[in-house]
């Protein structure tokens, strides 16, 4: 009887562990804790805060930067510029892809432009951006647009081309043409590719923005996260440099796990288009 009661208790308790571990947030937190422990141990063993500050020193620098050293304004400046450039670039790419789906010549043109410009690093165009638009936000928007338009256009065009012919015929039979055809038939069918393209374009845009800000900031008078990192590197405040890098990473994690995961769960996973 005692063994039976013990087995019943084990059966009641055992699902808790696996179900908790299946939560993506729990797994990510465990991974971050392991990375933090290795970081702290390595920094203490090396004992050189200029080369590698400890996790506790970096956390203190992060709190101090948020409270008194303009890190909040730097984050706001970077995100404002990023959102402007990202939204504008996605809209431009969607227009290009929509036009490409209506004409074979336009499709070949877009494929040629994508093959030409997609491998070209956006940061390589920064000298031209400075020459054409000057030291300001317009230059950042230009390089962000280059980093977003081509990979997202490639993903969107690939997704549109993979739409089954039966769905295309349904759209034509009910009289859909032009942008109505794209909006009601192609976009819902190609949504997995579109969301994947949005994620890739976001990563490219975020990296490009930080790299560009490392050189000249957001405007001539104020700087973003990249400029915050660069300025503290020049002054050998390595803990503040790591604090800025930590903010870049955390923002990337939040966008990935909150925005894109929520979008996927409420659309393509809910509709059975993705596991």
């Amino acid at each position: 009887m005692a063994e039976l009661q013990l087995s019943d208790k084990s059966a009641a308790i055992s699902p808790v562990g696996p179900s908790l571990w299946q939560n993506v947030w729990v797994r990510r937190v465990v991974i971050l804790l392991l990375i933090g422990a290795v970081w702290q141990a390595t920094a203490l063993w090396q004992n050189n805060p200029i080369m590698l500050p400890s996790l506790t020193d970096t956390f203190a620098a992060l709190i101090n930067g948020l409270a008194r050293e303009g890190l909040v304004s730097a984050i706001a400046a970077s995100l404002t510029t990023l959102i402007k450039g990202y939204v504008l670039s996605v809209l431009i790419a969607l227009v290009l892809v929509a036009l490409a789906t209506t004409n074979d010549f336009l499709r070949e043109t877009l494929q040629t432009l994508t093959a030409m410009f997609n491998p070209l690093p956006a940061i390589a165009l920064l000298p031209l951006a400075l020459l054409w638009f000057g030291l300001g936000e317009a230059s950042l928007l230009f390089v962000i647009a280059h980093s977003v338009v081509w990979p997202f256009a490639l993903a969107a065009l690939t997704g549109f081309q993979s739409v089954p012919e039966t769905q295309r015929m349904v759209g034509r039979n009910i009289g859909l043409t032009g942008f109505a055809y794209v909006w009601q038939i192609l976009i819902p069918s190609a949504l997995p590719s579109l969301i994947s393209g949005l994620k890739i374009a976001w990563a490219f845009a975020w990296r490009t923005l930080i790299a560009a800000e490392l050189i000249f900031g957001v405007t001539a008078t104020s700087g973003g996260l990249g400029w915050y990192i660069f300025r503290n590197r020049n002054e050998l405040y390595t803990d503040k440099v790591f604090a800025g890098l930590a903010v870049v990473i955390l923002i990337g994690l939040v966008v990935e796990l909150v925005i894109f995961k929520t979008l996927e769960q409420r659309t393509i996973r809910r509709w059975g288009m993705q596991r």
Side-chain angles (χ1 to χ4, degrees):
M1 178 67 72
E3 293 179 356
L4 180 60
Q5 292 178 350
L6 182 60
S7 63
D8 291 342
K9 291 181 180 179
S10 300
I13 295 174
S14 59
V16 176
S19 63
L20 184 64
W21 183 248
Q22 289 173 359
N23 190 307
V24 64
W25 287 100
V26 173
R27 296 198 298 269
R28 296 294 176 94
V29 168
V30 171
I31 293 172
L32 291 176
L33 290 175
L34 290 175
I35 293 174
V38 172
W39 178 1
Q40 181 74 7
T42 304
L44 293 176
W45 172 75
Q46 188 181 32
N47 195 26
N48 188 348
I50 294 180
M51 295 295 294
L52 181 64
S54 65
L55 177 62
T56 52
D57 290 343
T58 301
F59 184 75
L62 175 61
I63 298 301
N64 187 56
L66 293 172
R68 291 185 290 272
E69 296 192 0
L71 185 54
V72 173
S73 61
I75 295 172
S78 291
L79 289 180
T80 300
T81 304
L82 178 68
I83 292 172
K84 289 180 184 177
Y86 184 75
V87 172
L88 178 63
S89 303
V90 168
L91 292 177
I92 292 173
L94 283 176
V95 171
L96 293 176
V97 175
L99 292 174
T101 59
T102 62
N103 185 281
D104 291 339
F105 175 76
L106 293 178
R107 183 173 64 252
E108 292 294 335
T109 301
L110 180 59
Q111 290 175 338
T112 302
L113 292 176
T114 302
M116 290 170 56
F117 294 125
N118 196 33
L120 181 64
I123 201 65
L125 297 177
L126 186 57
L128 288 177
L130 292 174
L131 180 64
W132 292 341
F133 304 107
L135 188 64
E137 189 180 51
S139 297
L140 284 178
L141 294 177
F142 176 77
V143 293
I144 290 174
H146 175 79
S147 66
V148 170
V149 168
W150 309 117
F152 181 66
L154 180 61
L157 186 60
T158 302
F160 287 174
Q161 290 177 335
S162 64
V163 175
E165 188 61 30
T166 54
Q167 297 183 22
R168 297 174 182 270
M169 293 174 62
V170 169
R172 298 190 192 102
N173 289 337
I174 62 177
L176 294 178
T177 57
F179 284 98
Y181 173 76
V182 173
W183 178 255
Q184 298 184 40
I185 300 297
L186 296 184
I187 288 181
S189 301
L191 202 55
S193 295
L194 293 177
I195 294 179
S196 177
L198 287 174
K199 292 167 67 174
I200 295 172
W202 151 259
F204 284 2
W206 191 223
R207 291 186 306 187
T208 299
L209 175 65
I210 298 302
E213 286 179 350
L214 281 168
I215 300 175
F216 64 90
V218 172
T219 67
T221 57
S222 63
L225 268 172
W227 185 250
Y228 179 88
I229 295 170
F230 181 77
R231 176 165 49 85
N232 285 293
R233 195 272 297 178
N234 286 341
E235 298 173 3
L236 294 181
Y237 293 140
T238 314
D239 53 346
K240 297 179 183 179
V241 172
F242 272 82
L245 294 174
V247 171
V248 173
I249 295 172
L250 290 174
I251 291 175
L253 285 175
V254 169
V255 172
E256 169 68 23
L257 295 179
V258 176
I259 297 178
F260 286 117
K261 284 291 184 182
T262 302
L263 180 61
E264 289 177 346
Q265 290 173 356
R266 293 186 178 182
T267 55
I268 56 179
R269 292 187 180 179
R270 182 179 179 181
W271 301 338
M273 302 174 71
Q274 188 182 76
R275 294 183 60 186

